[in-house]
Amino acid sequence: RLLKMEEFFPESFCLDLKDERNAFFELCKEDQIWICKPSCSNQGRGIFLLKNPAAVNTLQAKLHSTEENLLNKRVPYKAPQARIVQRYIHQPLLLEGKKFDVRSYLLIACTAPYVLFFAQGYVRLTCVNYDAASDDLTVHLTNQYVQKKNSLYSQLKDETVWRMEHFNSYVNEKFRKTNGLPKDWVFTVFTKRMQQIMLQCFLAAKHKLDRKLGYFDLIGCDFLIDENFKVWLLEMNANPALHTNCKVLRDIIPTVVYESL
């Protein structure tokens, strides 16, 4: 069964497409949080939150000014980086009070014929407890590059990455009974959902891939779970980080690379 977009992907708009940009500015009148990020970047670069109408108005004015410059062909002028805005998920599931997401892997091993593999990854947590109202990006973004900017990172870095087995045990212990989850929800329901979403995204994009021998790609897929245990795809990364700067990553990343090759 194919999923509907709203079943797994937060409402999103491409700001470099005029119709979508106008639809977004028409929609976001009241106080709500949106996350604005470059379409093709990594390490959390260029990401910011839109937390109130004033911030939205500022962005709208900036985009309008950019459009005017491009239309008038003022030179030298560089076209802005393509961006999307995505509805922020307010009530994420927390682990020990901290926000987290899950990095898993999709290996496109071959495109002639299509061959795909799934690999479990790891859990990425923030250094500090979650507070939706905070202006500190390290509270909202879990990737290691952003977390390094938190003053507590050096002493907590091994606690910011969990193995999937640790995550599974934690969910069994803390949430299974109160939320009526099946045993090993992480390795059953959650894993199947990730695979279903990855496959659907691949089917949507496969026509863009070269169909030739020797073509392969390792995609890093980021998933967030909300407090109702709904699984959301945040993004898919064509150049996933392969750093091994903490104990769990030193165990997981070399295996992912070795098995991919």
Side-chain angles (χ1 to χ4, degrees):
R1 182 179 83 85
L2 287 179
L3 299 168
K4 293 180 179 175
M5 285 278 282
E6 59 266 25
E7 290 182 74
F8 68 91
F9 193 61
E11 188 174 14
S12 301
F13 298 88
C14 292
L15 291 180
D16 45 324
L17 299 178
K18 189 172 184 178
D19 287 351
E20 292 201 21
R21 185 166 70 241
N22 291 343
F24 168 67
F25 288 122
E26 193 61 39
L27 175 73
C28 63
K29 300 297 184 191
E30 70 274 16
D31 274 350
Q32 49 188 286
I33 304 178
W34 294 81
I35 184 164
C36 185
K37 49 190 176 182
S39 303
C40 300
S41 187
N42 57 9
Q43 298 182 327
R45 281 188 292 242
I47 295 180
F48 57 88
L49 298 182
L50 297 167
K51 302 182 74 174
N52 52 56
V56 172
N57 291 339
T58 300
L59 176 64
Q60 188 172 18
K62 186 176 176 183
L63 290 174
H64 181 72
S65 165
T66 299
E67 197 172 38
E68 291 271 297
N69 285 334
L70 287 172
L71 285 172
N72 296 332
K73 293 189 169 57
R74 292 179 188 166
V75 288
Y77 198 82
K78 186 182 172 187
Q81 192 172 28
R83 287 185 162 275
I84 70 161
V85 282
Q86 188 174 73
R87 189 180 287 279
Y88 187 86
I89 295 165
H90 282 270
Q91 283 135 347
L93 186 68
L94 302 178
L95 302 181
E96 297 176 349
K98 295 169 183 174
K99 188 177 179 183
F100 74 96
D101 65 14
V102 174
R103 161 63 57 87
S104 289
Y105 297 98
L106 170 66
L107 174 66
I108 302 167
C110 184
T111 55
Y114 293 121
V115 181
L116 308 180
F117 291 96
F118 167 83
Q120 296 282 9
Y122 52 93
V123 178
R124 312 183 297 185
L125 297 88
T126 59
C127 292
V128 292
N129 284 6
Y130 179 65
D131 173 11
S134 175
D135 290 326
D136 180 359
L137 267 184
T138 68
V139 171
H140 301 279
L141 303 181
T142 61
N143 73 55
Q144 292 281 295
Y145 188 83
V146 172
Q147 289 306 306
K148 281 179 186 174
K149 297 176 182 177
N150 190 294
S151 58
L152 296 171
Y153 179 77
S154 57
Q155 65 192 76
L156 295 176
K157 70 176 182 179
D158 280 324
E159 296 171 33
T160 64
V161 181
W162 284 10
R163 292 177 170 281
M164 294 300 284
E165 291 81 3
H166 181 183
F167 178 39
N168 183 59
S169 300
Y170 187 91
V171 170
N172 279 342
E173 182 187 337
K174 302 284 186 184
F175 300 117
R176 188 183 161 205
K177 285 185 179 175
T178 51
N179 292 79
L181 302 175
K183 187 172 187 295
D184 296 332
W185 178 87
V186 167
F187 289 129
T188 54
V189 177
F190 176 53
T191 295
K192 284 179 183 172
R193 191 62 154 188
M194 287 193 292
Q195 292 171 338
Q196 184 184 19
I197 291 169
M198 286 181 185
L199 178 58
Q200 186 160 327
C201 291
F202 171 77
L203 292 174
K206 70 177 186 178
H207 68 282
K208 296 184 177 183
L209 305 177
D210 288 340
R211 295 207 67 186
K212 63 182 182 183
L213 288 174
Y215 181 100
F216 75 96
D217 210 345
L218 182 67
I219 311 291
C221 306
D222 298 339
F223 294 91
L224 185 142
I225 302 162
D226 70 20
E227 60 182 12
N228 298 315
F229 285 83
K230 182 171 180 175
V231 178
W232 297 93
L233 172 69
L234 296 180
E235 59 186 37
M236 300 181 87
N237 300 276
N239 184 22
L242 298 172
H243 305 299
T244 53
N245 58 332
C246 65
K247 187 177 184 306
V248 171
L249 294 179
R250 281 194 290 275
D251 291 338
I252 290 172
I253 297 299
T255 305
V256 166
V257 173
Y258 177 79
E259 290 188 353
S260 295
L261 296 174

